[in-house]
Amino acid sequence: MSPDKVGRYKIKAELGRGGMGRVYRAHDPISNREVAIKVLPSEMLHNLVTRARFKRELKLVASLEHPAIVPVYDVGEENDQPFFVMRYMSGGSLAAIIKKGRLSLSDAAVIIERLASALDHAHEKGIIHRDIKPDNVLFDAGNNPYLSDFGVAKFMEAPVSVTDAGPQEAMGTPAYISPEQARGENIDHRADIYGLGAILYEMLTGERPYAGDTVISVAIQHVNDPIPSVLKARPELPAEVDTIIKTAMAKDKDGRYPNAVDLALALNKVTFGEERTIPSLATLNGRQNTSASPSKQTGWIVMALLLLAGIGGWFGLRGQLPLPFAAAPTPSASITAVPPTAEPTMTSTMAPTLTPIVTPTVEEATPVVPSIPGGADKVAFVAGNQVYVMNMDGSELIQLRTDNSAKSGLHWIADGRLVYLARNCAYIVDVQIEQPEEIVCFDASESLEGFRVSRDGKMVAISIQRTLNILPFDIDIFNDVESRFNLLALENNCFYNQFAFREVLWSKDGTRLAAHVVDTELVSSDQIFLLSVDIPNCATVGPVRIDRIPGGHIDFDSKSTKRITSYDWDGEHLFLLNDSLRNDGFGDLYFYNSQTREAAKINPVDGICCYRDARWSPNGDYIFFSFQPYNGSEIQLYYLPFPNPESEDGWAPIQIPDILFTNPREKPQPALRPAP
């Protein structure tokens, strides 16, 4: 029978149990989030060996801080019963996913890459997992894999054999056990590499490498039987995949990959045709301030001053003159951005590739306060269902304390706080305090797709169940709101249902809206409607459609799904939007001017695909976007002037830890904060 509470945590359900404890789903009333709690079973309280091992697990797991290891929130004891509190992983286990069918090579490679980075981190701290198996790979709501359960892990300095632990303890899980574990020999980190090879085989085939009627028979197969060929079950796979698995599962540990990252690199090269940098110790704690060196900050300021001086004249006339590329016979624009000649690596001395040489003058120098590029001082974005905030050059990266659910709709409001959507709720957070506050939550049966505060902070547009509600922005009025019908009962609510509304953006003056809608006139296609609204008279005057985008203005690529996966509006005439060509929303980037009705595909990075989540800077002089090359899976962030002046040295992406974007389908959804 499950307890009602453990410490302050209210138990909701039992998630599972094993030899090392029971796991419960619970609610933390202080942080208002779902958590998982692992406790030592009461019937084992008098087993001193098990109790000691459980406490050791607490210390081990708490010492591991990595984005692909299930994080620990709290540890404690209740009535002499030790427990620890972890992130609740709502996406289930890899074992459950494999039961539904074998995985594609690309999906398996992405999972192995994340796990390899986590294992490399643990190994560098002297910790061996010893029980790598699909049950110990858990997924969050965004399908990001995490390594869990270091309950049988052991410090390398204290090797284990069957002589000082029971056979079951030494062996871990027989289906994935390394030969040296099965023989009861001393082990090192290469036992985990063997397990990683075994689960790679299972992901691709749907079957375990070895099967038997008893635990002993399976263990003997790991020791004596040939390594099975993955090509027998999946002959369409590249032959190199079979070599990778057999190297990882070599009977002699000296024949295996020297570390987990080397396995992942080899698999990435076969799968994606590229060699990507996979950091071995890429934790944010050690990297947050590496990019904030004086040399980098100085280079950024000097670069920004030169750029703004070169483009200031054009922007002064942007509202009155056509775009500079509008007169071309075939509308086309290119924001030329040449990638760096070498793959960037994570070092503390990296700086933008463009470093102009400036010769200072001595004549009565007058201090100059540099302009802030684009008028933005911070950017918030999503990675792995977590919200991060950093300076525009990538320095001072912090992670906000939020739950692990999917996030959307990030935007800053007039008082400098951040608003976002998660779990059918809207939240607001002061980045100095880092603790989100719930604004409103709606019934799970009602889909909340937009919650956008106007630029002056006075109104809010709420898109729910494809209807639009506009009302004064006052957090207190949402205290009793639990459904869209409660919204209708509020005073001063403008209710619109003429279109199937999704996300909505405000104009600068609050008299127009840009609404992402499902356009039933065009066979349920995605469109952006530019609408004129008369909010004071909304009871009698409905929204008037001024323009439709892409409408007849933009022709998406023939390979495109015709979906608009992200868009942005400067609040006047200029739009950015992208279609979907790959990885759930990366595609070509398009520009549209609603005043001149001119459009173009711009693809800022050397004219190639693919992009998503492009955003205008607060003053409209820069654009921020996510870039992923068409034949790759690495996601990079760029912040470039628009239009971009020619640069011989090219433009480098913002330097951030590689581990932030390990899922090629990540949706960063950046929000740029206007500088005070």
Side-chain angles (χ1 to χ4, degrees), residues 212-514:
D213 297 329
T214 65
V215 169
I216 299 300
S217 66
V218 174
I220 291 175
Q221 290 180 66
H222 280 281
V223 174
N224 297 323
D225 285 10
I227 302 169
S229 173
V230 71
L231 300 178
K232 289 185 178 181
R234 298 282 298 275
E236 76 280 6
L237 292 175
E240 294 89 343
V241 177
D242 189 52
T243 302
I244 291 171
I245 292 175
K246 288 180 176 177
T247 302
M249 296 182 65
K251 303 296 182 183
D252 183 351
K253 60 186 178 183
D254 289 335
R256 298 173 201 155
Y257 291 101
N259 55 65
V261 166
D262 282 352
L263 188 164
L265 287 171
L267 188 60
N268 278 346
K269 186 174 182 180
V270 172
T271 306
F272 304 112
E274 60 181 8
E275 293 187 17
R276 294 191 291 168
T277 299
I278 303 175
S280 59
L281 276 175
T283 56
L284 290 180
N285 291 341
R287 301 191 185 276
Q288 287 183 5
N289 297 320
T290 58
S291 58
S293 63
S295 62
K296 179 168 183 178
Q297 290 178 336
T298 302
W300 174 258
I301 293 172
V302 172
M303 177 180 68
L305 287 171
L306 293 178
L307 293 176
L308 290 176
I311 62 176
W314 184 85
F315 283 106
L317 299 175
R318 190 181 61 180
Q320 290 76 38
L321 298 179
L323 289 169
F325 49 77
T330 302
S332 63
S334 176
I335 303 178
T336 306
V338 182
T341 56
E343 179 75 10
T345 56
M346 293 301 301
T347 68
S348 61
T349 59
M350 290 203 70
T353 57
L354 180 59
T355 53
I357 299 175
V358 179
T359 303
T361 59
V362 185
E363 298 179 1
E364 300 181 3
T366 302
V368 177
V369 178
S371 300
I372 297 178
D377 65 345
K378 297 280 186 181
V379 58
F381 61 94
V382 177
N385 286 339
Q386 298 300 315
V387 178
Y388 295 87
V389 178
M390 67 182 182
N391 293 336
M392 299 308 298
D393 62 355
S395 63
E396 298 183 16
L397 177 68
I398 63 171
Q399 178 182 336
L400 302 184
R401 295 193 297 267
T402 68
D403 62 28
N404 195 45
S405 58
K407 310 293 192 302
S408 64
L410 274 69
H411 65 285
W412 300 91
I413 62 176
D415 61 4
R417 290 184 292 174
L418 184 68
V419 175
Y420 66 88
L421 302 183
R423 301 188 305 171
N424 225 40
C425 303
Y427 294 90
I428 190 169
V429 58
D430 185 328
V431 297
Q432 302 299 322
I433 301 175
E434 300 183 20
Q435 186 64 44
E437 174 188 353
E438 178 186 303
I439 300 175
V440 62
C441 283
F442 291 93
D443 187 272
S445 64
E446 301 175 334
S447 177
L448 176 64
E449 294 189 80
F451 187 98
R452 179 69 58 157
V453 180
S454 61
R455 295 172 186 251
D456 60 8
K458 296 180 179 180
M459 306 295 290
V460 60
I462 303 175
S463 309
I464 183 166
Q465 286 298 98
R466 301 291 166 86
T467 65
L468 181 62
N469 296 263
I470 297 179
L471 58 160
F473 181 58
D474 180 354
I475 294 179
D476 291 338
I477 70 173
F478 296 109
N479 290 338
D480 298 322
V481 173
E482 296 179 348
S483 74
R484 62 191 180 99
F485 300 106
N486 297 140
L487 288 178
L488 295 175
L490 295 177
E491 293 184 8
N492 302 318
N493 179 26
C494 288
F495 175 72
Y496 299 124
N497 62 356
Q498 291 88 343
F499 311 111
F501 291 95
R502 301 181 67 187
E503 306 94 339
V504 171
L505 302 180
W506 289 88
S507 66
K508 290 182 177 179
D509 61 7
T511 63
R512 290 176 296 157
L513 300 173

Side-chain angles (χ1 to χ4, degrees), residues 166-186:
Q168 185 64 33
E169 292 183 3
M171 289 174 59
T173 303
Y176 311 93
I177 188 176
S178 67
E180 60 269 27
Q181 281 177 283
R183 290 191 295 262
E185 299 172 355
N186 293 347

Side-chain angles (χ1 to χ4, degrees), residues 574-588:
L574 306 182
F575 290 83
L576 295 168
L577 64 151
N578 68 272
D579 57 1
S580 179
L581 289 172
R582 68 190 306 267
N583 279 345
D584 195 24
F586 282 89
D588 289 316

